Amino acid sequence: RSRGMDAKTTKEDVMAQVKQEVETQLMQDIYSSITAKCFNKCVGKPADRLDKTEQTCLAKCVDRVLETRQVVTDTMIDRGSRK
């Protein structure tokens, strides 16, 4: 292998690692957002179990958070590809 190939492989490895870290951070952000927004909004008084209203509220809230994240991500990708 030439030195140029080693540098390219190293760069690709670093880029893959950075991508993985960004994806991990995104998942942590989504989890934090869901926890902060949805739990606080939907669960009035924590108990052993969620009632039906709380379950429905949480399901809808999680769907909205994930849909919003997807729209933001798609918009950022679209804007980035136009540059």
Side-chain angles (χ1 to χ4, degrees):
R1 260 173 134 168
S2 69
R3 299 195 92 221
M5 186 62 125
D6 289 340
K8 183 177 181 183
T9 301
T10 301
K11 182 178 178 181
E12 290 171 356
D13 292 342
V14 169
M15 292 301 291
Q17 182 179 356
V18 168
K19 181 179 178 185
Q20 180 63 41
E21 289 175 11
V22 167
E23 290 172 357
T24 299
Q25 184 62 47
L26 178 61
M27 291 307 295
Q28 289 173 345
D29 290 348
I30 290 170
Y31 178 79
S32 294
S33 179
I34 289 170
T35 300
K37 292 177 183 175
C38 298
F39 186 84
N40 292 333
K41 176 182 177 184
C42 298
V43 181
K45 183 177 175 185
D48 291 341
R49 294 177 185 221
L50 298 171
D51 65 28
K52 189 69 174 170
T53 303
E54 292 169 331
Q55 290 177 14
T56 301
C57 179
L58 284 168
K60 288 179 180 180
C61 185
V62 168
D63 286 345
R64 280 193 307 272
V65 169
L66 294 176
E67 287 172 11
T68 301
R69 290 281 181 172
Q70 189 61 52
V71 168
V72 169
T73 299
D74 291 347
T75 301
M76 291 175 65
I77 289 170
D78 183 49
R79 287 181 182 176
S81 67
R82 283 193 245 158
K83 290 183 177 184

